[in-house]
Amino acid sequence: MRESFFYGRTFINDADLNEQAERWVEGTANVRLHGTTDERPVDRFERDERQALHPLALVPYRRLGSQLSAEPSRPVLATTVQVQRRPLREYSEAVS
């Protein structure tokens, strides 16, 4: 997607991007022959994958990482990272 769809594309907002992406997937990516499988992804999906899908759960799952109790969680403090700064010439000298 990154190289075939995103580069050079303009869009107004997320909804516009999603609509363009859906049209591209349906009209281009899923119907062309895949370089590795020599099959259209849509054909492979219908043949091998669709029957393996199950319906979504009727009740949403509890979010992973959610708190079991009503206690407010403590903020996580960000750790600082020390970065050593060097002039670029040191890198070129190391290569020579």
Side-chain angles (χ1 to χ4, degrees):
M1 286 232 21
R2 184 180 315 143
E3 289 145 10
S4 298
F5 173 75
F6 282 113
Y7 288 149
R9 189 167 300 267
T10 57
F11 51 93
I12 299 168
N13 54 28
D14 287 349
D16 182 39
L17 176 63
N18 287 336
E19 184 180 320
Q20 288 185 47
E22 189 172 322
R23 279 195 318 256
W24 178 80
V25 166
E26 296 295 324
T28 303
N30 278 347
V31 294
R32 65 182 171 197
L33 288 181
H34 189 277
T36 302
T37 63
D38 284 330
E39 293 181 87
R40 295 179 343 149
V42 68
D43 297 335
R44 189 175 182 109
F45 172 79
E46 292 297 335
R47 186 189 69 231
D48 299 338
E49 303 295 329
R50 183 173 293 282
Q51 70 273 7
L53 296 176
H54 300 286
L56 295 174
L58 297 176
V59 178
Y61 292 105
R62 195 178 102 245
R63 187 172 58 91
L64 290 176
S66 65
Q67 299 292 327
L68 294 176
S69 66
E71 289 180 26
S73 61
R74 290 193 250 179
V76 177
L77 300 176
T79 58
T80 56
V81 177
Q82 298 289 329
V83 177
Q84 183 180 9
R85 295 178 178 222
R86 299 184 217 173
L88 290 176
R89 73 173 176 276
E90 287 186 28
Y91 293 100
S92 62
E93 290 169 1
V95 174
S96 331

